[in-house]
């Protein structure tokens, strides 16, 4: 029986050899994750170690300039600097409850790798990370951070040597080491139950934000805007607002340089349905079904697919999928730094850039929440190297 | 129901007291012309069934040898449409049965209705799709089956009990037993647990059982006796060709 579908998207397109560990994980997702002892333990870790709840902050200077209220959900203030840790602490704890002792991860820029290494160190698990050889060079500081926390980082030399190939390598490793290893996937992607599991772990973002809005303003926001690579911070920011029909949900994909024919990461905006990494979803691919290289100035958005629930939210019309090019994201990066003293991740800058680009469509007095998925310190080196600072 | 051509072919080899030979070669390897010559040599060299690999950019069930070969073929411009068109021209001269082995996405983009018709027309007897487990396989299996094409299932060392029975109840052509918890690639020694697991699979499946992944020499199979009806070899063949050898030489080891 088919499982894990959002409309026609999702499913479990993996070798049979991975079905037993996926079925084991489905059981843990169903039985362990919602249990009170697990939720209590996770809640305490998120509070004491990660620093949750993250603040919901109204930007005074930009709000004045824009004529509507711009609020930031400050995931950048989490321990290790991004929303990624909401997922890795949850999956790490689940790994311990399943009686496994190794956390396996793929990483692009290294943010998810760092968050996994962090959780593994804290929870006393071993950690193995696959990272494209190109990214190992581009993000050597993150490799050092992972290694400092005890992770073993394997450079991946196959294919395009970036995130999609690191994901292939992690899946291969999991086939061989499934007995004592949990694959801690980094976004709401992959075969069922990963998209649901990662969404539930990231949903803490919208759970807190919804209550924080009601408390601070007595009303729900008019817009919730988040950047979308694999789509985990966006799914987390959307989840508890989905039943609230008045709340407009906007996910922002990376459009690359914007030149005609440029590489990009807009799987929903410009892709077509297909199967990759265990899921049926929107993909950047050729007419023959070969996966094409993606590109974004934000390494964390540089992925040719997207989570299946997003493909469905787009098809159903519940969420809008916008596009932001590299230059606009850079501009937003500088604007937030300068105006509010907050240096955002280049990924999160895409969400902010969408708001800045569309400010004249947003009614005066509206409330807009941007999920500030991570802090931008990690991007300074590469931006300096590219002459962008 | 007509007996499957793949099953018939394996049973014919078994009747002669030998295991059926199933070489795997990625379409277009080592180049677009020579591929068809090597295919003919595999056929002449005693192959009962030939698996033609349909290259994909992201082959998660494969090790470095098959992945490298597949990416090379993609660079040469190999597509599923090319494979089917070229195969159709040559099918009458090939004695072995033909199976296409490839990942879900290129098949999906071609469209399964169209694929079933075109592949049947080109004389294809089966498909193997390593990233299509039982849960997702039903529609595809029905569409292919309507044109007389078997969807061959893969099982492995961790396919046990109910799952093994589930596959067995629905198997067509043959069952492909993966020898390792891992990817394709030559291995000097195979896991010891294979012996017991193969015996269990042999008892469960009505269709013949083929062993694949990591197989290099006939000596590796001696231990399994009659629990094994066929053998698949891919990486060892690719490596042999990579190192300057030919399919004809490779088949001499086996025939
Ligand atoms: C700060 C930040 N935001 C967003 C993303 C994109 O991931 P997702 O779309 O899963 O939230 C990443 C990925 O590395 C990231 O580091």
């Amino acid at each position: 029986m088919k499982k894990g579908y959002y409309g026609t998207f999702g499913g479990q397109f993996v070798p049979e050899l991975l079905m037993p560990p996926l079925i084991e994980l489905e059981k843990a997702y169903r039985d362990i994750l919602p249990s009170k002892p697990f939720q209590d333990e996770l809640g305490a870790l998120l509070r004491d170690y990660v620093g949750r709840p993250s603040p919901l902050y109204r930007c005074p200077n930009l709000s004045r300039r824009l004529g509507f209220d711009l609020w930031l959900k400050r995931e950048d203030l989490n321990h290790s600097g991004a929303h990624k840790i909401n997922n890795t602490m949850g999956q790490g704890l689940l790994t311990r409850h399943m009686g496994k002792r190794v956390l396996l991860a793929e990483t692009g820029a290294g943010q998810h790798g760092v968050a996994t290494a962090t959780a593994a160190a804290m929870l006393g698990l071993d950690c193995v990370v696959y990272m494209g050889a190109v990214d190992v060079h581009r993000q050597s500081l993150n490799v050092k951070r992972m290694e400092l926390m005890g992770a073993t980082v394997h450079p991946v030399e196959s294919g395009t040597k970036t995130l999609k190939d690191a994901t292939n390598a992690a899946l291969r490793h999991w086939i061989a080491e499934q007995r004592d290893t949990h694959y801690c996937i980094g976004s709401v992607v992959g075969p069922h139950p990963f998209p649901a599991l990662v969404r539930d772990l990231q949903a803490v973002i919208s759970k807190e934000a919804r209550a924080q809005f009601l408390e601070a303003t007595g009303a729900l926001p008019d817009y919730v805007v988040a950047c979308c690579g694999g789509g985990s911070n966006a799914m987390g920011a959307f989840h508890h607002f989905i039943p609230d029909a008045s709340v407009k949900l906007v996910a922002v994909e990376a459009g690359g340089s914007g030149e005609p024919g440029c590489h990009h990461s807009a799987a929903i905006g410009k892709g077509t349905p297909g199967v990759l990494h265990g899921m049926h979803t929107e993909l950047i691919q050729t007419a023959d079904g070969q996966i094409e290289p993606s590109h974004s100035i934000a390494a964390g958005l540089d992925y040719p697919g997207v989570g299946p629930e997003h493909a469905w939210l787009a098809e159903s019309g519940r969420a809008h999928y916008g596009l932001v090019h590299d230059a606009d994201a850079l501009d937003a990066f500088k604007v937030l730094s300068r105006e509010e003293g907050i240096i955002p991740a280049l990924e999160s800058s895409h969400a902010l850039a969408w708001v800045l680009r569309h400010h004249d469509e947003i009614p005066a007095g509206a409330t807009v929440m941007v999920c500030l998925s991570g802090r931008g310190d990690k991007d300074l080196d590469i931006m300096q190297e590219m002459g962008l600072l | 129901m007509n007996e499957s051509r793949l099953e018939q072919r394996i049973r014919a080899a078994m009747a002669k007291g030998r295991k059926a030979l199933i070489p795997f070669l990625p379409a277009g390897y080592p180049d677009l012309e020579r591929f068809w010559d090597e295919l003919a040599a595999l056929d002449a060299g005693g192959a009962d069934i030939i698996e033609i690999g349909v290259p994909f950019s992201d082959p998660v069930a494969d090790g470095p040898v098959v992945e490298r070969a597949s990416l090379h073929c993609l660079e040469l411009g190999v597509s599923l449409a090319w494979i089917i068109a070229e195969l159709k021209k040559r099918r009458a001269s090939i004695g072995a049965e033909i199976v296409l082995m490839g990942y879900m996405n290129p098949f999906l983009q071609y469209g399964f209705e169209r694929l079933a018709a075109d592949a049947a027309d080109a004389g294809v007897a089966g498909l193997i799709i390593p990233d299509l487990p039982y849960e997702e396989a039903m529609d595809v299996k029905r569409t292919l089956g309507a044109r007389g094409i078997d969807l061959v299932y893969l099982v492995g060392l961790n396919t046990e009990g109910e799952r093994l029975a589930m596959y067995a109840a629905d198997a067509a052509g043959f069952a492909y037993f993966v020898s390792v918890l891992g990817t394709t690639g030559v291995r000097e020694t195979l896991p010891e647990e294979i012996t017991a697991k193969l015996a269990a699979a042999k008892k469960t499946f009505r269709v013949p059982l083929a062993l694949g992944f990591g197989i290099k020499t006939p000596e590796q199979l001696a231990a399994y006796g009659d629990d094994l009806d066929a053998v698949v070899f891919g990486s060892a063949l690719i490596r042999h060709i990579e190192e300057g050898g030919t399919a004809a030489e490779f088949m001499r080891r086996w025939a």
Side-chain angles (χ1 to χ4, degrees), chain A residues 81-84 109 111-112 186-188 227-234 299-301 345 347-348 373-375 378:
Chain A
H83 68 295
K84 297 282 177 187
Q111 292 307 107
H112 173 59
S187 191
V188 286
C227 68
C228 184
S232 66
N233 90 91
L301 302 181
E347 291 81 6
S348 327
S373 56
R375 65 174 184 229
K378 68 178 178 64

Side-chain angles (χ1 to χ4, degrees), chain B residues 8-20:
Chain B
Q8 278 176 19
R9 193 56 74 98
I10 295 174
R11 295 214 182 278
M14 291 160 67
K16 292 183 194 141
R18 63 178 181 84
K19 302 196 187 311

Side-chain angles (χ1 to χ4, degrees), chain A residues 1-3 5 11-17 19-21 23 158-159 164-165 168 171-172 175-176 178-179 273-277 280 283 285 287-291, chain B residues 55-62 67 71 74 79 104-106 108-109 130-136 139 154-159 163 167 178 180-183 193:
Chain A
M1 199 191 54
K2 290 179 183 237
K3 277 178 288 189
Y5 272 85
Q12 295 178 299
F13 296 88
V14 293
E16 171 54 31
L17 302 189
M19 288 305 293
I23 291 167
S158 62
K164 106 184 154 57
D165 305 281
N168 294 338
L171 286 165
R172 290 174 184 136
I175 292 176
Q178 54 186 261
R179 286 188 183 116
V275 168
L276 177 70
H277 295 151
H280 184 236
L283 299 174
Q285 59 178 331
D288 286 340
Q290 307 300 336
I291 307 308
Chain B
F56 179 48
S57 51
D58 294 82
V60 285
D62 286 299
E67 178 173 42
L71 296 180
L74 284 178
S79 67
M104 186 62 181
N105 200 43
L108 188 66
Q109 300 310 319
D131 56 346
L132 192 67
Y134 184 86
E135 279 78 351
E136 297 287 350
D139 296 345
L154 296 119
V155 297
L157 294 169
N158 62 348
T159 316
R163 280 195 81 74
Y167 275 111
V178 175
V180 290
L181 268 187
T183 51
E193 50 182 320

